[in-house]
Amino acid sequence: MRGVSLPRLHILTDETVQSRWSHLDIARYAAAGGADAVQYREKRPRTTRELVETARAIRELCEARGIALIVDDRADVALAAGAHGVHLGRDDLDSDTARRILGPGALIGRTANSYEEAAAVWGGPIDYLGVGPVFGTSTKANPAPALGLEALARICRDAPVPVIAIGSITPERIPEVIAAGAHGVAVVSAVVCADDPAEAVRACRRALDAALAERSAR
């Protein structure tokens, strides 16, 4: 585990919304397309050993490409795999315990589906908020309602930590969420369901870099 700066383009692996690409495949495409981070998301029942083995394989690929690996939900798996951090959902481990497990150099993110949820956790030992679903989502069985750009902008304005926007993020929508104040974006379906995932990542990278440049020029 080593400290890294907060990535702006997170690509989430997901084998439940498509069956063409494995977690490792998606990580490879993410790296090839210019992502800053791979977020290993496995919501199906798996043993801890299976989770760690997959996470370690992804970590090796990420380290070779100089990008971060963040494990969803499981701080213990992140630690065992040598990942750069963990992303915690609403029902996962509390942030203080995760920080004790992973240490000061790890990235810890936390999900927030509303302003109230964001405010309840942003004072804890976290490095960023994963806020959404901004435009809705098709990757979760019981998703929270779409948050919208206005609510995203309010959280970005008030939160003391950076915000990563998630939820039906596409290259076309990236300028809107960056204009709302997001530090970066997390992308799932637009990449994992694409015929050419690496090119889909490149499209996100181009849109993100252009949007950040435009915001800086204001």
Side-chain angles (χ1 to χ4, degrees), residues 63-85:
E63 288 193 340
R65 301 296 185 93
I67 63 178
L69 167 62
I70 298 171
V71 174
D72 254 27
D73 306 334
R74 296 282 298 271
D76 59 332
V77 172
L79 180 65
H84 296 89

Side-chain angles (χ1 to χ4, degrees), residues 81-174:
H84 296 89
V86 66
H87 184 88
L88 302 169
R90 291 179 293 172
D91 299 323
D92 294 331
L93 196 65
D94 65 275
S95 304
D96 290 286
T97 302
R99 179 61 72 194
R100 287 196 294 273
I101 291 171
L102 296 176
L107 291 175
I108 296 180
R110 229 206 128 127
T111 291
N113 297 141
S114 67
Y115 185 93
E116 291 72 23
E117 286 185 10
V121 298
W122 70 36
I126 63 173
D127 299 285
Y128 71 93
L129 283 167
V131 174
V134 179
F135 303 105
T137 180
S138 61
T139 66
K140 292 190 175 182
N142 297 294
L147 194 63
L149 289 167
E150 185 176 342
L152 173 67
R154 183 187 177 205
I155 295 171
C156 291
R157 183 180 64 247
D158 293 350
V161 295
V163 168
I164 302 297
I166 189 169
S168 294
I169 302 295
T170 64
E172 296 75 21
R173 286 169 163 169
I174 285 175

